């Protein structure tokens, strides 16, 4: 279990990537990213079981200029081409979340090649959380919103219940194109229960 917070977050709905619109709560994929930034090993995978919303759901809008021209890595390294930001500027809006805090409960699923018991990996994760250690800076949906993490406290979830519709459950990057899975999400008195398996695009 871990608690994360931040001044802002954006858990982008996949179908709305041009004008970014956040889900109202943290998604399982975003929670997974936070856990892996703190502690990751190839011997196991995290399975998100529950996300508790600890602060009121508040939104705000960001408007910014972005470029539609992208330079390849090879061109950037050799200096062959520069981006003309004035000629390729696009103004886009982003609907974000303000002053967020979540408590994440996850399970460790071991792979067959794991050489330690589940408790060993779980205890290592807890020690890293207690010390504030991480492999990389965790973030809340997008890298511009850093996540600050620590040990879970007993702060109660918000008393809000709502149907959230279809929410992104997980993404399988081992296939081309990548495959997304979804689940019918409901916030029950501030608690989002995450099913073990999502449903595929064709079933959603």
């Amino acid at each position: 279990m871990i608690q994360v917070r931040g001044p802002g977050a954006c858990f982008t709905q996949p179908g709305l990537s041009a004008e970014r619109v956040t889900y109202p709560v943290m998604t399982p994929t975003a929670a997974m990213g936070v856990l892996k930034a703190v502690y990751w090993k190839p011997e196991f995978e995290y399975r998100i079981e529950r996300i508790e919303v600890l602060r009121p759901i508040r939104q705000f809008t960001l408007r910014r200029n972005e470029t539609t021209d992208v330079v390849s890595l090879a061109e950037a390294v050799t200096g062959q081409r520069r981006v003309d930001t004035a000629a390729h500027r696009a103004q886009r809006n982003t609907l974000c979340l303000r002053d967020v805090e979540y408590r994440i409960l996850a399970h460790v699923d071991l792979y067959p090649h794991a050489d330690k018991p589940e408790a060993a990996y779980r205890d290592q994760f807890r020690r890293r959380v207690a010390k504030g250690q991480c492999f990389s800076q965790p973030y809340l949906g997008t890298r511009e919103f850093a996540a600050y993490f620590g040990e879970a406290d007993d702060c109660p979830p918000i008393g809000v219940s709502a149907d959230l519709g279809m929410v992104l459950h997980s993404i399988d990057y081992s296939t081309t194109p990548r495959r997304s899975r979804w689940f019918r999400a409901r916030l029950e008195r501030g608690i989002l229960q995450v099913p073990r398996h999502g449903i595929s695009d064709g079933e959603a």
Side-chain angles (χ1 to χ4, degrees):
M1 191 178 291
I2 186 175
Q3 203 153 307
V4 295
R5 68 186 188 282
C10 183
F11 308 113
T12 307
Q13 299 184 34
L16 304 170
S17 56
E19 296 285 334
R20 299 183 183 92
V21 177
T22 183
Y23 285 110
V25 300
M26 172 182 262
T27 61
T29 52
M32 186 89 69
V34 170
L35 300 184
K36 288 184 175 181
V38 174
Y39 181 60
W40 177 85
K41 287 287 185 181
E43 290 83 10
F44 70 88
E45 184 64 273
Y46 291 109
R47 173 165 45 89
I48 307 300
E49 295 185 338
R50 188 172 76 235
I51 299 172
E52 299 179 2
V53 183
L54 305 180
R55 292 189 187 180
I57 300 172
R58 300 167 56 204
Q59 299 177 328
F60 71 101
T61 301
L62 279 179
R63 179 176 295 173
R64 55 193 167 187
N65 293 323
E66 299 181 1
T67 181
T68 57
D69 188 22
V70 179
V71 175
S72 70
L73 179 60
E75 290 174 324
V77 170
T78 59
Q80 294 177 4
R81 189 165 72 86
R82 301 183 62 150
V83 174
D84 186 348
T85 55
H88 300 91
R89 181 183 301 146
Q91 192 170 76
R92 290 176 175 160
N93 291 321
T94 302
L95 184 64
C96 309
L97 298 171
R98 183 190 305 277
D99 296 327
V100 299
E101 187 165 10
Y102 305 98
R103 190 159 46 231
I104 303 168
L105 178 67
H107 186 76
V108 172
D109 288 333
L110 300 182
Y111 289 124
H113 63 274
D115 56 358
K116 296 179 182 177
E118 175 188 323
Y121 298 108
R122 191 170 58 240
D123 291 345
Q124 180 64 27
F125 174 82
R126 289 171 175 164
R127 286 193 294 269
R128 292 182 66 84
V129 170
K131 295 177 181 178
Q133 296 176 327
C134 56
F135 291 130
S136 60
Q137 175 63 55
Y139 53 90
L140 295 166
T142 59
R143 294 187 184 278
E144 62 196 295
F145 295 121
Y148 304 96
F149 65 92
E151 295 178 286
D153 60 25
D154 57 357
C155 173
I158 61 175
V160 173
S161 298
D163 287 316
L164 305 180
M166 297 302 292
V167 171
L168 184 64
H169 180 278
S170 55
I171 301 174
D172 184 0
Y173 292 98
S174 65
T175 63
T176 304
R178 66 186 187 183
R179 291 187 301 183
S180 299
R181 300 189 73 84
W182 313 83
F183 72 108
R184 292 181 175 87
R186 176 170 176 77
L187 192 66
E188 196 67 53
R189 297 194 61 81
I191 300 175
L192 179 66
Q193 298 286 353
V194 181
R196 186 182 186 100
H197 302 291
I199 57 179
S200 64
D201 290 305
E203 302 170 313

